[in-house]
Amino acid sequence: LAQNRDHQSRSSLTLPSFAPTGYCDSKLMNALTCRQLATTLPSHVTTYAVCPGFCRSNLGRNVTFPLYKKVMMAPFMLLLQRSAFQGAQNIVFASIEDEDNLTSGGFYRDGEIQQELSDYIDSLGSDAPEQLWRLSDKLATET
């Protein structure tokens, strides 16, 4: 997938991101996999990728910062981060919303499809989800 395309970084998206590239790539892979599932599963089965947002968690527990940086960042983190309950609302939304109001294979955040990410995925080519699927299948079945 990446070998026959120029690597399109998150800088091609209009919104800046402070998240590490690996984290952003994992979100992209989730969205691509979801889109592939939407084309291969029977039509009565729907699939959605959901982003809970920037939630307070232990995700960065192994990231080391000097104490003074932690103290300086704490007020901003408290202002920017969502609670686990708030983040879970995105997942609950996709679970209980009428499927006629959702797009199978779509990526949702805050109860809305993320059009910018959808456009970005489209820019990777219509075969990108299938290529990732085949590569993942190959890697998962290798011993």
Side-chain angles (χ1 to χ4, degrees):
L1 180 65
Q3 293 174 350
N4 33 4
R5 283 185 186 51
D6 292 331
H7 180 66
Q8 296 180 4
S9 69
R10 63 179 170 244
S11 62
S12 64
L13 297 174
T14 58
L15 296 174
S17 176
F18 60 88
T21 303
Y23 178 79
C24 295
D25 287 348
S26 72
K27 289 283 187 198
L28 176 61
M29 298 307 131
N30 182 25
L32 286 166
T33 300
C34 183
R35 190 169 288 189
Q36 178 63 21
L37 285 170
T39 64
T40 58
L41 293 172
S43 60
H44 67 279
V45 179
T46 57
T47 177
Y48 313 104
V50 182
C51 177
F54 184 38
C55 298
R56 282 186 287 280
S57 70
N58 287 330
L59 189 61
R61 66 190 169 275
N62 295 321
V63 177
T64 56
F65 284 107
L67 181 61
Y68 75 92
K69 284 187 180 180
K70 288 181 181 179
V71 171
M72 287 175 40
M73 289 174 41
F76 298 107
M77 298 299 260
L78 288 172
L79 288 173
L80 297 175
Q81 290 180 317
R82 299 173 180 203
S83 68
F85 178 83
Q86 290 168 319
Q89 295 306 302
N90 288 297
I91 299 165
V92 170
F93 165 79
S95 300
I96 65 172
E97 181 65 28
D98 186 337
E99 69 181 57
D100 293 335
N101 297 331
L102 301 171
T103 302
S104 186
F107 189 90
Y108 287 85
R109 180 176 177 168
D110 297 331
E112 297 178 353
I113 196 156
Q114 295 300 289
Q115 193 58 50
E116 186 177 20
L117 180 61
S118 294
D119 293 343
Y120 179 72
I121 291 171
D122 291 341
S123 78
L124 296 175
S126 61
D127 62 337
E130 185 178 353
Q131 284 185 6
L132 174 65
W133 185 266
R134 279 191 263 131
L135 176 62
S136 298
D137 185 53
K138 178 183 173 192
L139 293 172
T141 56
E142 286 181 356
T143 54

